[in-house]
Amino acid sequence: MTETTGGATAPQPAMPESRMSKYRWVIVTLLFIAIGINYIDRQMIGILKGTLQEDLKWTEIEYANIVFWFQCAYAIGFLTFGRVIDKVGVKIGYAVAFTIWTIASIGHGLIHTVTQFALARFVLGFGESGSFPSSLKAVSEWFPQKERAQAVGIFNAGTAMGPIITPLLVPAITLAFGWRAAFISIGIVTAVWLVAWLLMYRQPEKHPKVNAAELAHIRSDVDQHSGEAIEKISWFKLLTFRGTWAYALGKFLTDPIWWLYLFWLPDFLGKAYGLDLKSFGPPLIAIYILADVGSVAGGWSSSKQIQAGRTPNAARKTTMLLCAFAVIPIVFAQFVGNLWGAVAIIGLAAAAHQAWSANLMTLPSDIFPKAAVASVIGIGGMSGAIGGMLMTTYNGYILEFFGSYQPIFIVAGSAYLVAITVIHLLTPKLQRVPIEKIRVG
Protein backbone atom coordinates (compact mmCIF):
# COMPACT_ATOMS: atom_id res chain seq x y z
CA MET A 1 0.00 0.00 0.00
CA THR A 2 1.22 3.54 -0.80
CA GLU A 3 1.81 5.68 2.27
CA THR A 4 0.80 9.34 2.12
CA THR A 5 1.87 12.40 4.05
CA GLY A 6 -0.38 15.43 3.95
CA GLY A 7 -2.20 14.05 0.95
CA ALA A 8 1.01 13.63 -1.07
CA THR A 9 2.40 10.33 -2.17
CA ALA A 10 5.63 9.54 -0.35
CA PRO A 11 8.50 8.47 -2.61
CA GLN A 12 9.11 4.75 -2.55
CA PRO A 13 12.61 3.34 -2.07
CA ALA A 14 14.24 2.19 -5.29
CA MET A 15 13.90 -1.48 -5.99
CA PRO A 16 17.25 -3.23 -5.48
CA GLU A 17 19.05 -4.04 -8.70
CA SER A 18 18.59 -7.67 -9.64
CA ARG A 19 21.49 -9.90 -8.80
CA MET A 20 23.69 -11.04 -11.63
CA SER A 21 22.63 -14.33 -13.15
CA LYS A 22 25.32 -17.00 -13.49
CA TYR A 23 24.25 -18.94 -16.53
CA ARG A 24 27.76 -18.79 -18.00
CA TRP A 25 28.74 -21.46 -15.46
CA VAL A 26 25.94 -23.72 -16.74
CA ILE A 27 27.45 -23.37 -20.20
CA VAL A 28 30.91 -24.30 -18.94
CA THR A 29 29.37 -27.33 -17.20
CA LEU A 30 27.93 -28.48 -20.53
CA LEU A 31 31.38 -28.06 -22.08
CA PHE A 32 32.96 -30.03 -19.23
CA ILE A 33 30.56 -32.95 -19.75
CA ALA A 34 31.15 -32.98 -23.51
CA ILE A 35 34.93 -33.04 -23.09
CA GLY A 36 34.52 -35.87 -20.57
CA ILE A 37 32.50 -37.88 -23.10
CA ASN A 38 35.09 -37.08 -25.76
CA TYR A 39 37.85 -38.53 -23.61
CA ILE A 40 35.87 -41.61 -22.61
CA ASP A 41 35.48 -42.43 -26.29
CA ARG A 42 39.12 -41.54 -26.95
CA GLN A 43 40.69 -43.46 -24.07
CA MET A 44 38.81 -46.70 -24.53
CA ILE A 45 41.45 -47.98 -26.95
CA GLY A 46 44.16 -47.46 -24.32
CA ILE A 47 42.17 -49.30 -21.65
CA LEU A 48 41.35 -52.14 -24.04
CA LYS A 49 44.76 -52.29 -25.74
CA GLY A 50 45.67 -55.73 -24.35
CA THR A 51 42.23 -57.19 -25.04
CA LEU A 52 42.13 -55.81 -28.58
CA GLN A 53 45.70 -56.90 -29.34
CA GLU A 54 44.82 -60.44 -28.31
CA ASP A 55 41.60 -60.46 -30.35
CA LEU A 56 42.76 -58.58 -33.47
CA LYS A 57 46.42 -59.74 -33.33
CA TRP A 58 48.11 -56.38 -33.88
CA THR A 59 51.76 -55.48 -33.11
CA GLU A 60 53.07 -52.42 -31.25
CA ILE A 61 53.73 -50.72 -34.59
CA GLU A 62 50.21 -51.53 -35.85
CA TYR A 63 48.77 -50.12 -32.62
CA ALA A 64 50.85 -46.97 -33.14
CA ASN A 65 49.54 -46.78 -36.72
CA ILE A 66 45.93 -46.93 -35.49
CA VAL A 67 46.63 -44.06 -33.09
CA PHE A 68 48.49 -42.26 -35.91
CA TRP A 69 45.43 -42.29 -38.19
CA PHE A 70 43.23 -41.01 -35.36
CA GLN A 71 45.65 -38.11 -34.94
CA CYS A 72 45.88 -37.53 -38.69
CA ALA A 73 42.09 -37.09 -38.89
CA TYR A 74 42.24 -34.96 -35.75
CA ALA A 75 44.73 -32.63 -37.47
CA ILE A 76 42.58 -32.34 -40.59
CA GLY A 77 39.39 -31.90 -38.61
CA PHE A 78 40.83 -29.34 -36.21
CA LEU A 79 41.68 -27.01 -39.06
CA THR A 80 38.35 -27.68 -40.78
CA PHE A 81 36.16 -27.26 -37.71
CA GLY A 82 37.97 -24.09 -36.65
CA ARG A 83 36.79 -22.37 -39.83
CA VAL A 84 33.34 -24.01 -39.79
CA ILE A 85 32.66 -22.89 -36.22
CA ASP A 86 33.73 -19.32 -36.98
CA LYS A 87 31.21 -19.34 -39.86
CA VAL A 88 28.18 -21.27 -38.53
CA GLY A 89 28.60 -20.65 -34.80
CA VAL A 90 29.28 -22.78 -31.77
CA LYS A 91 25.86 -24.35 -31.35
CA ILE A 92 25.61 -25.95 -34.79
CA GLY A 93 29.35 -26.61 -35.14
CA TYR A 94 29.60 -28.52 -31.87
CA ALA A 95 26.41 -30.48 -32.58
CA VAL A 96 27.81 -31.66 -35.93
CA ALA A 97 31.15 -32.64 -34.38
CA PHE A 98 29.49 -34.53 -31.51
CA THR A 99 27.21 -36.43 -33.89
CA ILE A 100 30.13 -37.55 -36.09
CA TRP A 101 32.28 -38.80 -33.24
CA THR A 102 29.40 -40.56 -31.46
CA ILE A 103 28.46 -42.50 -34.60
CA ALA A 104 32.14 -43.43 -35.08
CA SER A 105 32.46 -44.56 -31.46
CA ILE A 106 29.47 -46.88 -31.82
CA GLY A 107 30.97 -48.13 -35.10
CA HIS A 108 34.01 -49.50 -33.24
CA GLY A 109 31.80 -52.24 -31.88
CA LEU A 110 30.94 -53.46 -35.38
CA ILE A 111 34.44 -53.97 -36.87
CA HIS A 112 36.44 -57.19 -37.34
CA THR A 113 39.86 -56.23 -38.76
CA VAL A 114 42.73 -53.90 -37.90
CA THR A 115 42.06 -51.87 -41.07
CA GLN A 116 38.41 -51.41 -40.15
CA PHE A 117 39.43 -50.36 -36.64
CA ALA A 118 41.86 -47.78 -38.05
CA LEU A 119 39.07 -46.41 -40.27
CA ALA A 120 36.73 -46.10 -37.28
CA ARG A 121 39.46 -44.27 -35.35
CA PHE A 122 39.99 -41.93 -38.31
CA VAL A 123 36.32 -40.89 -38.33
CA LEU A 124 36.35 -40.60 -34.53
CA GLY A 125 39.38 -38.32 -34.69
CA PHE A 126 37.74 -36.09 -37.29
CA GLY A 127 34.60 -35.67 -35.19
CA GLU A 128 36.41 -35.19 -31.89
CA SER A 129 38.56 -32.44 -33.41
CA GLY A 130 35.56 -30.09 -33.24
CA SER A 131 35.37 -30.24 -29.47
CA PHE A 132 38.12 -27.83 -28.44
CA PRO A 133 37.51 -25.16 -31.10
CA SER A 134 33.84 -25.19 -30.08
CA SER A 135 34.57 -25.07 -26.36
CA LEU A 136 37.16 -22.31 -26.58
CA LYS A 137 34.99 -20.25 -28.91
CA ALA A 138 32.11 -20.65 -26.44
CA VAL A 139 34.32 -19.49 -23.57
CA SER A 140 35.41 -16.42 -25.57
CA GLU A 141 31.72 -15.59 -26.12
CA TRP A 142 30.54 -16.27 -22.56
CA PHE A 143 33.41 -15.07 -20.32
CA PRO A 144 35.43 -11.86 -19.89
CA GLN A 145 39.19 -12.19 -20.15
CA LYS A 146 39.75 -12.23 -16.39
CA GLU A 147 37.60 -15.39 -16.06
CA ARG A 148 38.56 -17.26 -19.23
CA ALA A 149 41.47 -19.29 -17.89
CA GLN A 150 39.32 -20.39 -14.95
CA ALA A 151 36.50 -21.39 -17.31
CA VAL A 152 38.94 -23.22 -19.60
CA GLY A 153 40.43 -24.97 -16.59
CA ILE A 154 36.99 -26.20 -15.57
CA PHE A 155 35.92 -27.59 -18.94
CA ASN A 156 39.44 -28.87 -19.65
CA ALA A 157 39.14 -30.92 -16.44
CA GLY A 158 36.84 -33.11 -18.53
CA THR A 159 39.97 -34.41 -20.29
CA ALA A 160 40.87 -36.04 -16.99
CA MET A 161 37.34 -36.77 -15.78
CA GLY A 162 36.71 -38.93 -18.84
CA PRO A 163 39.78 -41.07 -18.12
CA ILE A 164 38.65 -41.37 -14.48
CA ILE A 165 35.30 -42.81 -15.55
CA THR A 166 36.68 -45.01 -18.33
CA PRO A 167 38.66 -47.52 -16.18
CA LEU A 168 35.61 -47.89 -13.93
CA LEU A 169 33.04 -48.32 -16.68
CA VAL A 170 34.75 -49.96 -19.64
CA PRO A 171 36.36 -52.99 -17.88
CA ALA A 172 33.06 -53.78 -16.15
CA ILE A 173 31.11 -53.75 -19.42
CA THR A 174 33.86 -55.63 -21.25
CA LEU A 175 34.18 -58.38 -18.66
CA ALA A 176 30.39 -58.83 -18.58
CA PHE A 177 29.42 -58.40 -22.25
CA GLY A 178 32.59 -58.03 -24.34
CA TRP A 179 34.51 -55.07 -25.76
CA ARG A 180 32.05 -54.51 -28.61
CA ALA A 181 29.24 -53.87 -26.16
CA ALA A 182 31.40 -51.30 -24.37
CA PHE A 183 31.78 -49.17 -27.51
CA ILE A 184 28.13 -49.48 -28.57
CA SER A 185 26.45 -48.92 -25.19
CA ILE A 186 28.57 -45.94 -24.16
CA GLY A 187 28.03 -44.26 -27.53
CA ILE A 188 24.25 -44.63 -27.30
CA VAL A 189 23.97 -43.41 -23.69
CA THR A 190 26.22 -40.36 -24.09
CA ALA A 191 24.18 -39.13 -27.08
CA VAL A 192 21.81 -37.60 -24.50
CA TRP A 193 24.28 -34.69 -24.24
CA LEU A 194 23.45 -33.61 -27.79
CA VAL A 195 19.81 -33.05 -26.88
CA ALA A 196 20.78 -30.95 -23.84
CA TRP A 197 23.21 -28.88 -25.92
CA LEU A 198 20.66 -28.05 -28.62
CA LEU A 199 18.07 -27.08 -26.02
CA MET A 200 20.32 -25.04 -23.70
CA TYR A 201 22.94 -23.25 -25.80
CA ARG A 202 22.43 -19.71 -27.14
CA GLN A 203 24.67 -16.70 -27.45
CA PRO A 204 24.58 -14.68 -24.20
CA GLU A 205 22.68 -11.71 -25.63
CA LYS A 206 19.97 -14.05 -26.95
CA HIS A 207 19.64 -16.29 -23.91
CA PRO A 208 16.55 -15.83 -21.69
CA LYS A 209 18.47 -17.06 -18.63
CA VAL A 210 21.05 -14.23 -18.86
CA ASN A 211 20.06 -10.95 -17.23
CA ALA A 212 21.44 -7.49 -18.01
CA ALA A 213 23.96 -7.60 -15.17
CA GLU A 214 25.53 -10.86 -16.34
CA LEU A 215 25.59 -9.72 -19.96
CA ALA A 216 27.36 -6.51 -18.92
CA HIS A 217 29.88 -8.61 -16.97
CA ILE A 218 30.50 -10.89 -19.96
CA ARG A 219 30.97 -7.87 -22.24
CA SER A 220 33.05 -5.89 -19.74
CA ASP A 221 36.26 -6.11 -21.76
CA VAL A 222 34.90 -6.26 -25.31
CA ASP A 223 37.36 -4.70 -27.73
CA GLN A 224 36.49 -1.66 -29.72
CA HIS A 225 35.14 -2.80 -33.11
CA SER A 226 34.64 -6.34 -31.77
CA GLY A 227 30.98 -6.16 -32.68
CA GLU A 228 31.79 -5.60 -36.34
CA ALA A 229 31.37 -8.52 -38.69
CA ILE A 230 34.33 -9.82 -40.59
CA GLU A 231 33.39 -11.13 -44.00
CA LYS A 232 36.49 -13.25 -44.45
CA ILE A 233 39.49 -14.37 -42.42
CA SER A 234 42.45 -15.88 -44.23
CA TRP A 235 44.49 -18.68 -42.69
CA PHE A 236 47.48 -17.28 -44.51
CA LYS A 237 46.83 -13.90 -42.92
CA LEU A 238 46.68 -15.50 -39.47
CA LEU A 239 49.97 -17.30 -40.15
CA THR A 240 51.72 -13.94 -40.48
CA PHE A 241 51.22 -13.26 -36.76
CA ARG A 242 53.73 -14.44 -34.18
CA GLY A 243 50.89 -15.12 -31.76
CA THR A 244 49.52 -17.82 -34.07
CA TRP A 245 52.93 -19.52 -34.19
CA ALA A 246 53.40 -19.23 -30.42
CA TYR A 247 50.14 -21.08 -29.84
CA ALA A 248 50.70 -23.61 -32.63
CA LEU A 249 54.24 -24.51 -31.54
CA GLY A 250 53.18 -24.71 -27.90
CA LYS A 251 50.55 -27.25 -28.94
CA PHE A 252 52.98 -29.11 -31.25
CA LEU A 253 55.47 -29.62 -28.41
CA THR A 254 53.13 -30.48 -25.52
CA ASP A 255 49.91 -32.05 -26.87
CA PRO A 256 51.79 -35.29 -27.71
CA ILE A 257 52.58 -35.77 -24.02
CA TRP A 258 48.90 -35.96 -23.13
CA TRP A 259 48.38 -38.42 -25.99
CA LEU A 260 51.15 -40.50 -24.39
CA TYR A 261 49.28 -40.69 -21.08
CA LEU A 262 45.99 -41.42 -22.79
CA PHE A 263 47.04 -44.19 -25.16
CA TRP A 264 50.12 -45.76 -23.50
CA LEU A 265 49.81 -45.26 -19.75
CA PRO A 266 47.72 -48.42 -19.15
CA ASP A 267 50.30 -50.36 -21.17
CA PHE A 268 53.18 -48.91 -19.13
CA LEU A 269 51.49 -49.80 -15.84
CA GLY A 270 50.78 -53.30 -17.12
CA LYS A 271 54.34 -53.96 -18.26
CA ALA A 272 56.09 -52.29 -15.31
CA TYR A 273 53.85 -53.46 -12.46
CA GLY A 274 51.87 -56.42 -13.82
CA LEU A 275 48.49 -54.67 -13.86
CA ASP A 276 45.64 -55.80 -16.10
CA LEU A 277 42.05 -54.94 -17.04
CA LYS A 278 40.86 -55.79 -13.53
CA SER A 279 43.59 -54.00 -11.55
CA PHE A 280 44.84 -50.84 -13.26
CA GLY A 281 41.67 -48.88 -12.45
CA PRO A 282 42.75 -47.38 -9.09
CA PRO A 283 46.19 -46.14 -10.29
CA LEU A 284 44.70 -44.59 -13.42
CA ILE A 285 41.92 -42.95 -11.45
CA ALA A 286 44.43 -41.48 -8.98
CA ILE A 287 46.53 -40.05 -11.83
CA TYR A 288 43.56 -38.45 -13.55
CA ILE A 289 42.13 -37.05 -10.31
CA LEU A 290 45.44 -35.24 -9.87
CA ALA A 291 45.16 -34.09 -13.49
CA ASP A 292 41.68 -32.70 -12.80
CA VAL A 293 42.99 -30.77 -9.81
CA GLY A 294 45.80 -29.40 -11.94
CA SER A 295 43.42 -28.25 -14.67
CA VAL A 296 41.19 -26.27 -12.32
CA ALA A 297 44.12 -24.97 -10.24
CA GLY A 298 46.06 -23.83 -13.31
CA GLY A 299 43.16 -21.82 -14.65
CA TRP A 300 42.30 -20.46 -11.22
CA SER A 301 45.91 -19.39 -10.60
CA SER A 302 46.31 -17.15 -13.63
CA SER A 303 42.77 -15.79 -13.34
CA LYS A 304 43.39 -14.78 -9.71
CA GLN A 305 46.69 -13.17 -10.66
CA ILE A 306 44.95 -11.08 -13.32
CA GLN A 307 42.20 -10.09 -10.89
CA ALA A 308 44.94 -9.03 -8.45
CA GLY A 309 46.39 -6.67 -11.04
CA ARG A 310 49.02 -8.69 -12.91
CA THR A 311 49.00 -8.59 -16.69
CA PRO A 312 47.67 -11.63 -18.58
CA ASN A 313 51.19 -12.01 -20.01
CA ALA A 314 52.80 -12.31 -16.58
CA ALA A 315 50.01 -14.42 -15.08
CA ARG A 316 49.86 -16.96 -17.91
CA LYS A 317 53.60 -17.39 -18.34
CA THR A 318 54.42 -17.59 -14.63
CA THR A 319 51.90 -20.39 -14.23
CA MET A 320 53.14 -22.19 -17.34
CA LEU A 321 56.78 -21.97 -16.24
CA LEU A 322 55.95 -23.57 -12.89
CA CYS A 323 54.12 -26.34 -14.77
CA ALA A 324 57.15 -26.92 -17.00
CA PHE A 325 59.35 -27.56 -13.94
CA ALA A 326 56.74 -29.81 -12.31
CA VAL A 327 56.78 -32.21 -15.28
CA ILE A 328 60.53 -32.92 -15.16
CA PRO A 329 60.43 -35.78 -12.56
CA ILE A 330 58.62 -38.03 -15.07
CA VAL A 331 62.04 -38.66 -16.62
CA PHE A 332 62.69 -41.00 -13.65
CA ALA A 333 59.31 -42.82 -13.64
CA GLN A 334 60.79 -45.88 -15.37
CA PHE A 335 63.15 -46.46 -12.44
CA VAL A 336 60.61 -46.27 -9.61
CA GLY A 337 60.15 -49.72 -8.13
CA ASN A 338 56.98 -48.90 -6.20
CA LEU A 339 53.69 -48.61 -8.11
CA TRP A 340 52.31 -45.73 -6.06
CA GLY A 341 55.59 -43.84 -6.23
CA ALA A 342 55.33 -44.00 -10.02
CA VAL A 343 51.67 -42.97 -9.82
CA ALA A 344 52.65 -39.89 -7.78
CA ILE A 345 55.30 -38.83 -10.31
CA ILE A 346 53.07 -39.40 -13.34
CA GLY A 347 50.10 -37.80 -11.57
CA LEU A 348 52.16 -34.68 -10.87
CA ALA A 349 53.18 -34.52 -14.54
CA ALA A 350 49.58 -35.01 -15.68
CA ALA A 351 48.37 -32.27 -13.30
CA ALA A 352 51.08 -29.94 -14.58
CA HIS A 353 50.09 -30.67 -18.17
CA GLN A 354 46.46 -29.83 -17.50
CA ALA A 355 47.36 -26.62 -15.68
CA TRP A 356 49.65 -25.75 -18.60
CA SER A 357 46.87 -26.46 -21.12
CA ALA A 358 44.32 -24.34 -19.25
CA ASN A 359 46.62 -21.36 -19.78
CA LEU A 360 47.93 -22.23 -23.24
CA MET A 361 44.40 -22.53 -24.58
CA THR A 362 43.51 -19.00 -23.45
CA LEU A 363 46.28 -17.45 -25.57
CA PRO A 364 44.22 -17.20 -28.80
CA SER A 365 41.48 -15.23 -27.00
CA ASP A 366 44.13 -13.13 -25.22
CA ILE A 367 45.79 -12.20 -28.51
CA PHE A 368 43.11 -12.27 -31.23
CA PRO A 369 39.58 -10.83 -31.66
CA LYS A 370 36.74 -13.27 -31.06
CA ALA A 371 36.00 -13.61 -34.79
CA ALA A 372 39.40 -15.26 -35.33
CA VAL A 373 39.66 -17.36 -32.17
CA ALA A 374 38.31 -20.67 -33.50
CA SER A 375 40.46 -20.43 -36.63
CA VAL A 376 43.63 -19.88 -34.59
CA ILE A 377 42.63 -22.71 -32.29
CA GLY A 378 42.13 -24.89 -35.37
CA ILE A 379 45.64 -24.12 -36.59
CA GLY A 380 47.05 -24.89 -33.14
CA GLY A 381 45.05 -28.08 -32.83
CA MET A 382 46.30 -29.28 -36.20
CA SER A 383 49.85 -28.52 -35.09
CA GLY A 384 49.34 -30.44 -31.84
CA ALA A 385 47.93 -33.43 -33.72
CA ILE A 386 50.90 -33.44 -36.12
CA GLY A 387 53.21 -33.44 -33.10
CA GLY A 388 51.18 -36.33 -31.72
CA MET A 389 51.53 -38.26 -34.98
CA LEU A 390 55.31 -37.90 -34.86
CA MET A 391 55.52 -38.96 -31.23
CA THR A 392 53.12 -41.85 -31.80
CA THR A 393 55.40 -43.20 -34.53
CA TYR A 394 58.39 -42.71 -32.22
CA ASN A 395 56.61 -44.54 -29.37
CA GLY A 396 55.70 -47.51 -31.57
CA TYR A 397 59.23 -48.08 -32.83
CA ILE A 398 60.86 -47.52 -29.41
CA LEU A 399 58.57 -50.07 -27.77
CA GLU A 400 58.73 -52.59 -30.62
CA PHE A 401 62.53 -52.64 -30.87
CA PHE A 402 63.74 -51.55 -27.40
CA GLY A 403 60.82 -52.37 -25.10
CA SER A 404 61.59 -49.41 -22.81
CA TYR A 405 59.64 -46.27 -21.91
CA GLN A 406 62.74 -44.38 -20.78
CA PRO A 407 63.46 -42.60 -24.12
CA ILE A 408 59.77 -41.68 -24.29
CA PHE A 409 59.73 -40.21 -20.76
CA ILE A 410 62.84 -38.12 -21.52
CA VAL A 411 60.91 -36.38 -24.31
CA ALA A 412 57.90 -35.95 -22.02
CA GLY A 413 59.97 -34.34 -19.27
CA SER A 414 61.70 -31.77 -21.45
CA ALA A 415 59.00 -30.66 -23.90
CA TYR A 416 57.41 -27.99 -21.70
CA LEU A 417 60.59 -26.04 -20.96
CA VAL A 418 61.27 -25.91 -24.69
CA ALA A 419 57.68 -24.83 -25.34
CA ILE A 420 57.58 -21.97 -22.80
CA THR A 421 60.86 -20.66 -24.18
CA VAL A 422 59.48 -20.65 -27.72
CA ILE A 423 56.20 -19.01 -26.64
CA HIS A 424 57.99 -16.24 -24.77
CA LEU A 425 60.43 -15.52 -27.59
CA LEU A 426 57.57 -15.24 -30.10
CA THR A 427 55.17 -13.26 -27.88
CA PRO A 428 57.15 -11.48 -25.14
CA LYS A 429 54.16 -9.27 -24.26
CA LEU A 430 51.09 -11.16 -25.59
CA GLN A 431 50.11 -8.06 -27.53
CA ARG A 432 46.54 -7.89 -28.85
CA VAL A 433 46.05 -8.01 -32.61
CA PRO A 434 43.65 -5.22 -33.71
CA ILE A 435 40.68 -6.45 -35.68
CA GLU A 436 41.68 -4.28 -38.64
CA LYS A 437 44.81 -6.36 -39.16
CA ILE A 438 42.97 -9.66 -39.65
CA ARG A 439 40.27 -8.32 -41.94
CA VAL A 440 40.72 -9.42 -45.55
CA GLY A 441 39.77 -7.11 -48.41
Side-chain angles (χ1 to χ4, degrees):
M1 179 179 291
T2 303
E3 296 180 2
T4 59
T5 303
T9 301
Q12 298 299 301
M15 292 295 292
E17 184 178 346
S18 60
R19 301 179 67 177
M20 182 171 67
S21 58
K22 297 183 178 181
Y23 200 79
R24 63 194 185 281
W25 300 108
V26 175
I27 295 300
V28 89
T29 301
L30 276 175
L31 299 176
F32 166 81
I33 293 170
I35 293 291
I37 294 169
N38 185 303
Y39 272 76
I40 290 173
D41 294 339
R42 192 177 304 194
Q43 200 211 11
M44 287 175 70
I45 188 175
I47 295 291
L48 296 172
K49 180 174 182 285
T51 301
L52 292 168
Q53 278 185 308
E54 183 177 345
D55 193 2
L56 300 176
K57 311 300 181 185
W58 60 41
T59 66
E60 291 288 353
I61 292 176
E62 285 177 321
Y63 176 74
N65 287 339
I66 289 170
V67 175
F68 177 94
W69 286 112
F70 171 90
Q71 292 167 324
C72 178
Y74 199 75
I76 296 168
F78 231 120
L79 199 60
T80 303
F81 272 111
R83 292 301 298 272
V84 168
I85 291 159
D86 275 338
K87 288 181 179 295
V88 306
V90 174
K91 181 176 181 176
I92 299 302
Y94 210 162
V96 171
F98 188 91
T99 300
I100 292 171
W101 99 56
T102 300
I103 292 172
S105 181
I106 293 170
H108 282 66
L110 306 176
I111 62 91
H112 294 87
T113 69
V114 173
T115 301
Q116 291 171 350
F117 202 94
L119 179 61
R121 295 306 286 181
F122 186 90
V123 179
L124 181 73
F126 184 79
E128 289 197 344
S129 67
S131 187
F132 278 98
S134 299
S135 297
L136 293 166
K137 179 83 168 181
V139 166
S140 74
E141 291 180 350
W142 276 87
F143 289 85
Q145 185 181 48
K146 62 188 177 183
E147 289 182 344
R148 281 181 203 151
Q150 185 175 2
V152 171
I154 291 171
F155 87 67
N156 190 52
T159 64
M161 183 55 67
I164 289 172
I165 295 171
T166 308
L168 293 173
L169 194 60
V170 172
I173 297 173
T174 301
L175 291 171
F177 304 106
W179 62 266
R180 297 179 188 279
F183 282 107
I184 294 170
S185 60
I186 290 173
I188 292 172
V189 170
T190 55
V192 173
W193 180 90
L194 180 61
V195 178
W197 175 255
L198 292 172
L199 291 175
M200 298 172 69
Y201 192 87
R202 305 282 189 282
Q203 290 184 321
E205 60 273 14
K206 297 178 181 178
H207 208 295
K209 299 287 188 180
V210 176
N211 64 13
E214 184 175 20
L215 186 60
H217 176 75
I218 292 168
R219 298 288 180 252
S220 61
D221 60 0
V222 171
D223 298 328
Q224 186 181 9
H225 309 305
S226 66
E228 296 180 12
I230 299 176
E231 293 184 4
K232 186 178 180 183
I233 298 172
S234 166
W235 281 322
F236 295 107
K237 187 82 170 179
L238 291 173
L239 289 173
T240 64
F241 296 103
R242 299 176 79 175
T244 302
W245 286 100
Y247 179 68
L249 291 174
K251 296 284 281 182
F252 175 84
L253 290 164
T254 60
D255 274 15
I257 313 308
W258 189 249
W259 298 111
L260 166 65
Y261 303 147
L262 200 64
F263 296 130
W264 273 276
L265 186 54
D267 183 67
F268 168 72
L269 294 175
K271 290 176 177 175
Y273 302 103
L275 304 185
D276 58 19
L277 196 62
K278 296 179 181 179
S279 58
F280 57 46
L284 286 176
I285 291 168
I287 288 168
Y288 287 115
I289 286 175
L290 290 172
D292 258 340
V293 172
S295 183
V296 177
W300 173 87
S301 173
S302 64
S303 291
K304 284 298 181 183
Q305 290 177 60
I306 292 170
Q307 292 168 19
R310 298 195 77 190
T311 65
N313 182 53
R316 307 286 193 233
K317 290 178 182 175
T318 298
T319 304
M320 292 168 76
L321 181 61
L322 291 173
C323 294
F325 282 114
V327 174
I328 292 174
I330 199 171
V331 171
F332 307 104
Q334 177 88 8
F335 305 113
V336 178
N338 177 268
L339 168 64
W340 289 101
V343 166
I345 290 174
I346 297 170
L348 175 63
H353 173 89
Q354 292 296 78
W356 164 278
S357 292
N359 286 276
L360 177 63
M361 288 190 295
T362 64
L363 297 189
S365 61
D366 287 338
I367 297 171
F368 292 94
K370 289 182 176 65
V373 166
S375 292
V376 175
I377 290 165
I379 292 169
M382 181 187 69
S383 179
I386 291 171
M389 291 161 65
L390 294 174
M391 188 159 184
T392 289
T393 303
Y394 171 74
N395 294 347
Y397 279 93
I398 289 293
L399 294 175
E400 183 72 20
F401 295 109
F402 299 99
S404 171
Y405 275 87
Q406 182 57 28
I408 297 171
F409 286 150
I410 289 173
V411 174
S414 58
Y416 299 83
L417 286 174
V418 176
I420 188 62
T421 301
V422 170
I423 289 168
H424 183 66
L425 289 174
L426 287 171
T427 56
K429 295 183 179 180
L430 290 186
Q431 284 184 306
R432 292 285 293 179
V433 174
I435 199 167
E436 292 81 5
K437 289 191 175 182
I438 65 169
R439 188 180 283 119
V440 174

